Structures are given as structure tokens and as C-alpha cells.
Amino acid sequence: MQKLEKKKLPSHLQYDTVSPATKLLEKRRKMYEVHEAFEAQKNEFKKQEETFKRQEEQIRARDMEIQENLIKFCKFLQDNETKKKRAENRLKDEQKIKIQKEQDRKDLEKQHEDLVINSKKLERKVTALKKYEEYLESISKTYPDQYHDLQAILDRYETLIKSNDKLVIEHKHMEEQYEKLKYESSQYETQTNQGILQLNNEIKDLQKRLEEKTNEKNNLYQSVENSSNEAQTKNLILGRILMAIDNLHNRCQDGTQKIKHDLEEPKQDKQGKDDKKAKNKEEKKKDDKKNLKEKKEEQQTNAEDNYEIKSAVAQQKLKTIALYLNDFKKIIEECRAVFKNQGKKVV
């Protein structure tokens, strides 16, 4: 390629001076040269590629060897680590066992010391209780009939202890029963107090209702008394009215000529009958006054019936008075008419 580059001329000299055929030949020559250079470069690249492949295979082989060595080394490290951990665990276990054994030794020493102390205490207690044994032996010798030996005294003591425990239990049971009864009595007392309070409240309510009823009764008595007073006043007024009607009726009959009307005779007959009835009822009243107080209501009803009869008679009398007044009015009007005709004034 360097040789070809050295032979090259300037382009304006090459293309201007040569013919097209030579130009074509020149281009083909350049193409062949370029192809040869490309083939040579291609061969060189193949050689380099083969060398590179060989180097790559060598590198791969070395890499595989290194990986195998690394795996072996990692395995060796792992084995060493497991052995180290196993040894450390064993060391810790042995240390724990050592500490436990030391603690056990200390505990045993302490138990030994406690046992020694307890044995000394028991010895002192035995020496202290020796006098009681001697005393019990003296009791057994003094009372051989009741206590043959020390065991009999101890049996008696045990029976007394059991009886004492039994009495204590019974005492507790009695105390529990006493507390239970006390609680029940307090509950009963509270319930009775509540019942008493409730009954007192009911009594108060009933007293209040009784007062209300007495007030109502007094009010009713007052209203009855007022109504009786009103009835008496009305009866008095009615009697006066009836007396005035009788007076007017008598004056009408006495002061004027007796004019017979169509309704007068039957009315007078009815009036005579009513008067007879009134007289009979008055006589009955006099007889009823001697009876018991229970017949007062019947007397009041009879009096009311008497006033009703009298009022009916008074109505008839008023009708007759009205007839007389109408007659008198007609007479006056006729007199006025006569005096007017005669030319005289009516005073």
C-alpha cells in the first residue's frame, strides 16, 4: 500500500491527460490493488484472530485453573471456619459446664454449712428438750396407772391437739354462722326499715288523700248548704209570688161582677181539687215530721211536688187575671169611645 501511494500522481494531471480507456484500466488496476490489499489485510486479521483465539483459550484455561484453586481455597476456608466455630462452641459449653459445676460446688458447700448449722441447732434443741423428757419420765413414774410410758403421754398430747384443732374449726364455723346471721339480720332490718318507710309514705299519701276528700266533702256540704239556702230563698220568693197572685185573683173576683168565662169554671174546679190535694199533703207533712231523719228527702220531694201544684194553680189564676184585665181593658176602651162620642173628656 505504501508503494502504491508513492506512485500516485496529482489527480488533475492524471485525469486530464489520459483517455477514458486508460482511466478505466487505471480504475480496474486500483480496484485490483485495493482487493489485494484487502485480501492481505484479511489474511493478517485471520492470523491475528487465531493468535487471539489461542491466547483466549490459554486465558480460559488459566481462569478455570484459578477458579478451581479458588473453590478449593474457599472450601478450605469454610472447613477452617466450621472447625473454628465448633471449637468455640465446645469452649463455650465447657466454660458453661465449668461455671455450673462451680455453682453446684458452692451450693453443696452452702447446703453442707446449712446442714451443719441445723445439726448444731438440733443438738441444742435436743439438749434443751432433755429436761422435758426427764419431766415426762417423772410423770410416767408418778402416775403409772394412767401413763405407762412416754408414748402414752405423747398419744394423749396428740389427742388433745386434735381435739383443740377440732374446736378451733368449730369456733371458726360458729363465727362464720354468726357473721352470716348478722348479715341476714342487717339485711332484714334494712328491708323492714324500707318497708316501714314505704308504709309511712303510703300513710302520708293516704292522709293527704283523706284531707283532700274531707275538703271535697266540706265543699260539697257547703255547696249543698248554699243550694239549700238558695232553694229556701227561691221558695220564699215563690211563696210571695203565689200570695200576690192569690191576692190579685181574690181582688179580681171580689171587686168586680163575677163574669163567667169559658175556662173559669173548670179551672176553679181544678183549683178546688188542687187545694184539697195541698191540704192533704200538708197534713201528711205534719205526720212525716214525727218520723226519723231518713224521711227528710221524701218530705223535700213532697214539698217540691206541692210547689209544682201551687205553681200550676197560680198559672191558672194568672190566666183568669189576664182574662179579667182584658175585660177591664175592653170596658175602658168602650167607655172612652162613649165619652168621645158624647164630647166629654176622660179624666
Side-chain angles (χ1 to χ4, degrees), residues 252-267:
C252 289
Q253 286 182 352
D254 294 337
T256 59
Q257 292 179 356
K258 293 183 179 181
I259 302 168
K260 290 183 179 181
H261 298 92
D262 296 332
L263 297 172
E264 188 173 358
E265 289 180 355
K267 286 177 183 176

Side-chain angles (χ1 to χ4, degrees), residues 56-57 66-67 78 84 87 98 112 115 123 135 146 175 179 183-184 206 210 214 231 253 292 322 325 333 340 347:
E56 186 178 2
E57 288 177 357
I66 289 165
Q67 285 181 2
Q78 287 178 358
K84 183 181 176 182
K98 183 180 178 182
H112 181 264
L115 291 171
E123 287 176 359
Y135 174 74
Q146 295 181 2
E175 284 182 350
E179 293 292 332
Y183 176 74
E184 288 178 355
L206 291 172
L210 179 62
T214 51
Q253 286 182 352
L292 296 171
L325 290 172
E333 288 177 355
K340 281 181 182 180
V347 181

Side-chain angles (χ1 to χ4, degrees), residues 5 31 35-36 61 80 94 98 175 180 215 238 252 278 282 317 321:
E5 288 177 356
M31 186 179 69
H35 182 69
E36 288 176 359
N80 288 330
E94 288 178 356
K98 183 180 178 182
E175 284 182 350
K180 187 176 180 181
N215 291 323
L238 183 60
C252 289
E282 286 177 358
K317 288 180 180 181
I321 290 164

Side-chain angles (χ1 to χ4, degrees), residues 1 5 32-50 52:
M1 293 291 293
E5 288 177 356
Y32 289 135
E33 289 178 356
V34 170
H35 182 69
E36 288 176 359
F38 178 73
E39 289 292 332
Q41 193 174 5
K42 185 177 180 181
N43 293 324
E44 190 176 357
F45 284 157
K46 284 181 180 180
K47 290 178 182 180
Q48 289 180 358
E49 186 176 0
E50 289 177 358
F52 288 152

Side-chain angles (χ1 to χ4, degrees), residues 15-203:
Y15 293 104
D16 292 336
T17 56
V18 293
S19 63
T22 55
K23 289 180 181 179
L24 180 62
L25 290 172
E26 185 66 24
K27 286 182 180 180
R28 284 182 179 177
R29 186 181 60 78
K30 287 181 181 180
M31 186 179 69
Y32 289 135
E33 289 178 356
V34 170
H35 182 69
E36 288 176 359
F38 178 73
E39 289 292 332
Q41 193 174 5
K42 185 177 180 181
N43 293 324
E44 190 176 357
F45 284 157
K46 284 181 180 180
K47 290 178 182 180
Q48 289 180 358
E49 186 176 0
E50 289 177 358
T51 55
F52 288 152
K53 284 182 179 179
R54 286 196 297 272
Q55 289 178 0
E56 186 178 2
E57 288 177 357
Q58 291 176 1
I59 290 166
R60 283 181 180 175
R62 288 179 64 188
D63 190 12
M64 291 294 292
E65 187 178 357
I66 289 165
Q67 285 181 2
E68 289 177 358
N69 292 325
L70 183 62
I71 289 165
K72 289 179 181 179
F73 184 72
C74 288
K75 189 175 181 181
F76 177 73
L77 290 175
Q78 287 178 358
D79 294 333
N80 288 330
E81 189 68 26
T82 52
K83 288 178 181 178
K84 183 181 176 182
K85 286 181 179 180
R86 196 179 299 162
E88 287 178 353
N89 292 324
R90 189 178 294 172
L91 179 63
K92 287 179 182 179
D93 294 333
E94 288 178 356
Q95 287 177 354
K96 287 180 181 178
I97 292 166
K98 183 180 178 182
I99 291 165
Q100 186 67 34
K101 294 293 183 183
E102 289 290 332
Q103 188 67 33
D104 294 336
R105 185 179 64 78
K106 288 180 181 179
D107 293 335
L108 291 171
E109 287 177 355
K110 190 174 180 180
Q111 288 178 5
H112 181 264
E113 290 176 358
D114 294 333
L115 291 171
V116 170
I117 292 164
N118 289 324
S119 65
K120 288 179 180 180
K121 286 181 180 179
L122 290 171
E123 287 176 359
R124 287 196 295 271
K125 193 172 182 179
V126 166
T127 55
L129 295 173
K130 189 71 176 175
K131 56 185 179 181
Y132 297 108
E133 185 179 2
E134 293 174 356
Y135 174 74
L136 293 173
E137 288 177 354
S138 65
I139 293 294
S140 64
K141 289 177 182 179
T142 306
Y143 302 100
D145 296 332
Q146 295 181 2
Y147 306 108
H148 301 288
D149 53 0
L150 294 175
Q151 188 63 36
I153 296 169
L154 293 172
D155 292 336
R156 178 66 178 169
Y157 176 74
E158 287 179 358
T159 55
L160 291 171
I161 289 293
K162 288 179 181 179
S163 62
N164 187 19
D165 293 334
K166 189 176 180 181
L167 290 171
V168 168
I169 291 165
E170 288 179 356
H171 180 68
K172 287 181 180 179
H173 184 66
M174 294 293 288
E175 284 182 350
E176 289 177 356
Q177 287 182 352
Y178 172 72
E179 293 292 332
K180 187 176 180 181
L181 291 170
K182 187 177 178 181
Y183 176 74
E184 288 178 355
S185 65
S186 64
Q187 290 291 324
Y188 178 73
E189 187 175 358
T190 53
Q191 288 177 1
T192 52
N193 289 324
Q194 289 178 358
I196 289 164
L197 290 171
Q198 189 174 2
L199 290 172
N200 288 325
N201 292 323
E202 289 179 357
I203 288 164

